[in-house]
Amino acid sequence: MQSWQLPEHIADILPSTARQLESAKEQLLALFRVHGYELVHPPLMEYSNSLLTHIDAGLALKTIRLVDQISGRQLGIRADITPQVARIDAHLLSANNGINRLCYAGSVLHARPDGFLNTREPLQVGAELYGLAGIEADIELIDLMLKSLQIGEIGDLLLSLGHVGVFRALAGAAELDEKQSAQLLSLMQDKDAAAVHAQVSVWKLDGMWAKAFALLPTLYGGREVLDEAREKLPDLFAVGAALDDLQAVCEAFPRQNVHIDLSELRVDNYHTGLLYAAYGSKCHDAVARGGRYDGLGEYFGRARPATGFSFDLRTFTGRLPRSERLPAIAVAQQDAAQAAEIIAQLRAEGQCVVVDYGIESNASRDINARLVAQDGKWTIVEQA
């Protein structure tokens, strides 16, 4: 094996793709900025106990750990930026008791890829809103998420909605313990109503709760699912509140193609309420995911209502508009010192100026003009 080979699911980003990604990132951050979201840059690594690996088992498995040679304590390389932003809101921005709108764009590192075709180094871009518990906050973030995904050609967008509150209300009413809830959550992911029914039968649950749990994996489809859920699920306040949230989102996006799935519960995540994701007709998996995660900041001393979304910008590779190299203006090496002032001015204006060292085999590409001295002044001469 060559010593310069990269690990599996890790890859270099070459100039043409790097230009596309950086251009898209600039557009996204500009979009976030005009919607009031302030950019933060959390560190790539922290002490592992700050990365909340004890809260989210799935995140713990993704987190790469190592020993800090300075302190001797265990460090973690971030696998998700959202918990870091929750820490910033709860601790560093604790003077603000109102709304904090924060955004970010940076690399994360996974111990294992999420899938066979996934990178272990996603470029995570996202936005989070802290301090507002109402569904209005979720609607704002969903709107921003859908606008963000216009950067690439991913086809028609499908907004997928779920809500953890429905399952939790039923689990609480049926008095399931933590182990039973986790087991049932896992079965829900397979949409196997028969398996769910068999499991609750083993536990000898009351027939009403057994029927409700078996029904959940079948409650997916269009907006009509909400009416069916209201009709067939037990009349619990928390269930009604969750369905009201979903109804409010549907009404906020009347022309958006919507899919509702009441068994989409993300067993490996820290979300507490509404869940949302976006799918493109030209993509095999969700291109963005988000949801409500109230109270995550409690670990850092301040529990706050929170909602947000994120996505891996690298999944858009090949779907972003081309970002061409800047055409270059060449200046001969022997003229560079004398032309330094005009060169600096041109570069300040955003033009690309390169020094031509006269080595034919190593000549710069995309040169469309030259900077030459004519009649005592520097002139840009177009090349044929």
Side-chain angles (χ1 to χ4, degrees):
M1 180 182 294
Q2 298 291 336
S3 60
W4 45 261
Q5 287 186 328
L6 295 175
E8 291 186 31
H9 298 275
I10 297 289
D12 293 307
I13 302 177
L14 300 182
S16 60
T17 302
R19 285 196 302 271
Q20 285 182 303
L21 291 174
E22 285 302 310
S23 176
K25 186 172 77 171
E26 290 173 6
Q27 293 175 53
L28 288 166
L29 293 180
L31 174 68
F32 296 162
R33 185 165 55 248
V34 298
H35 282 76
Y37 289 77
E38 295 290 334
L39 181 65
V40 292
H41 281 295
L44 182 62
M45 66 179 182
E46 299 188 39
Y47 293 122
S48 57
N49 63 339
S50 296
L51 293 174
L52 304 177
T53 54
H54 68 294
I55 290 177
D56 187 337
L59 187 58
L61 293 174
K62 290 182 180 180
T63 302
I64 296 174
R65 299 176 180 85
L66 62 157
V67 176
D68 183 7
Q69 296 188 20
I70 296 177
S71 68
R73 295 173 60 185
Q74 187 182 72
L75 297 173
I77 300 176
R78 68 185 182 200
D80 184 2
I81 298 178
T82 300
Q84 294 184 295
V85 183
R87 171 182 57 77
I88 289 173
D89 171 75
H91 179 56
L92 300 178
L93 299 179
S94 60
N96 178 19
N97 290 319
I99 291 175
N100 276 330
R101 290 180 172 89
L102 303 174
C103 64
Y104 50 87
S107 291
V108 297
L109 195 62
H110 293 171
R112 292 179 178 273
D114 286 336
F116 181 74
L117 299 177
N118 294 85
T119 177
R120 292 168 59 192
E121 189 187 5
L123 176 51
Q124 187 178 352
V125 178
E128 320 287 337
L129 190 152
Y130 299 91
L132 182 60
I135 192 64
E136 300 86 357
D138 301 282
I139 291 172
E140 177 178 321
L141 266 297
I142 291 171
D143 177 65
L144 186 58
M145 178 181 73
L146 296 175
K147 289 176 179 175
S148 300
L149 300 180
Q150 300 302 317
I151 61 166
E153 296 181 2
I154 58 174
D156 295 331
L157 278 175
L158 172 69
L159 175 61
S160 177
L161 301 173
H163 204 297
V164 178
V166 175
F167 177 84
R168 289 190 173 177
L170 295 174
E175 299 181 345
L176 297 186
D177 61 32
E178 187 174 336
K179 183 178 179 180
Q180 288 174 316
S181 293
Q183 187 175 352
L184 207 51
L185 277 171
S186 182
L187 291 174
M188 291 284 181
Q189 303 307 299
D190 295 329
K191 302 286 188 295
D192 190 342
V196 172
H197 180 72
Q199 184 60 65
V200 296
S201 296
V202 171
W203 294 334
K204 294 181 171 55
L205 291 187
D206 181 277
M208 177 173 66
W209 307 123
K211 181 180 178 181
F213 284 123
L215 181 65
L216 275 188
T218 71
L219 290 174
Y220 62 90
R223 300 166 189 253
E224 70 282 355
V225 166
L226 297 179
D227 292 332
E228 184 181 358
R230 291 187 194 277
E231 178 185 345
K232 296 181 178 180
L233 289 177
D235 186 16
L236 299 174
F237 176 81
V239 170
L243 295 177
D244 287 344
D245 283 348
L246 291 166
Q247 185 70 48
V249 174
C250 289
E251 292 174 356
F253 301 95
R255 291 184 294 276
Q256 176 64 51
N257 191 12
V258 171
H259 176 82
I260 297 171
D261 185 350
L262 295 186
S263 62
E264 169 52 58
L265 302 171
R266 299 189 203 166
V267 295
D268 292 330
N269 226 317
Y270 39 70
H271 292 95
T272 59
L274 182 75
L275 301 172
Y276 42 92
Y279 293 79
S281 59
K282 297 181 181 179
C283 303
H284 71 280
D285 198 4
V287 289
R289 294 186 184 274
R292 181 158 288 278
Y293 54 99
D294 295 345
L296 186 60
E298 184 177 5
Y299 180 73
F300 303 107
R302 186 167 75 144
R304 296 255 281 169
T307 182
F309 71 89
S310 66
F311 57 89
D312 176 11
L313 188 56
R314 291 180 69 166
T315 63
F316 285 76
T317 300
R319 305 178 189 276
L320 297 170
R322 290 179 60 85
S323 182
E324 302 294 343
R325 286 180 59 164
L326 285 175
I329 301 170
V331 58
Q333 180 184 11
Q334 61 270 25
D335 294 337
Q338 291 180 316
E341 186 175 339
I342 186 64
I343 291 172
Q345 179 182 333
L346 290 169
R347 288 171 173 167
E349 294 171 355
Q351 298 196 59
C352 176
V353 182
V354 298
V355 176
D356 182 357
Y357 294 102
I359 305 173
E360 184 176 349
S361 63
N362 194 32
S364 296
R365 295 176 295 164
D366 300 332
I367 293 176
N368 69 337
R370 304 192 74 84
L371 183 64
V372 297
Q374 289 184 347
D375 300 327
K377 64 179 182 179
W378 295 105
T379 303
I380 298 173
V381 179
E382 301 291 334
Q383 288 196 167

